[in-house]
Amino acid sequence: MSQQENEVVESVNDGYVVDTEDCEARELAHRQRGTARPITVVGNPVLHRECKDVTEFGDELAQLIDDMFASQKAAEGVGLAANQIGVDAKVFVYDCPDDDGKRHTGVVVNPKLVELPAAGRVLDDSNEGCLSVPTAYAALARPDYAEVTGQDAQGNPIKVRGTGYFARCLQHETDHLYGYLYIDRLSKRDRKDALRQMDEGTPRYETVPNA
């Protein structure tokens, strides 16, 4: 059995979405249909409150997803939540490698992070950054495995899981849609340092100035 066939069988058996196939073609198709939008930054109200649940799964959502992939690519990101382009909706997209170098590409609507047993958590304190806190990085301990439940662009239930860097991405993007930036999980000192880094840096992509 080929690796691809094995992944499909695993998906049928355990219900997790297969997001490692045809990544290049799928990502390209989305962003060719989409239009890149500027990125909202810390201080913009849409980033600091829980987003609205998505209830309509049609052309408007499909266009938003295309625009999000285009925006993510323009900003050279690996994940993007809808409120990062000013849209109050629980949607995130990703195009992110895991620690084994395997590329994962997909979208999750109305995501919920699965709570892991404390005994099974292994924390990774790698550096983390965010398109909405441009040019700033800080070490943040997160579990090195994550599972998210939600829906796909058609409203079908899905589950996504990841390890390492991809696990961090899934947690980071889900946080966004509930009004949390990664700097909100830092100590006061580290948060202040991250904001200083942002103030001293120059974003490499277009941002929305805060009023």
Side-chain angles (χ1 to χ4, degrees), residues 40-53 81-91 173-181 184:
T40 56
V41 296
V42 58
N44 189 305
V46 74
L47 293 174
H48 302 281
R49 61 174 182 259
E50 182 175 343
C51 292
K52 295 176 182 176
D53 290 341
N83 53 355
Q84 291 186 275
I85 56 169
V87 178
D88 186 1
K90 283 183 182 164
V91 186
E173 300 308 331
T174 302
D175 269 357
H176 266 303
L177 299 176
Y178 290 86
Y180 295 99
L181 298 168
D184 296 327

Side-chain angles (χ1 to χ4, degrees), residues 96-102 104 124 126 144 162-168:
C96 182
D98 59 27
D99 282 2
D100 294 325
K102 183 175 290 186
H104 299 259
D124 170 18
S126 296
D144 69 352
T163 59
Y165 186 51
F166 182 42
R168 182 174 294 274

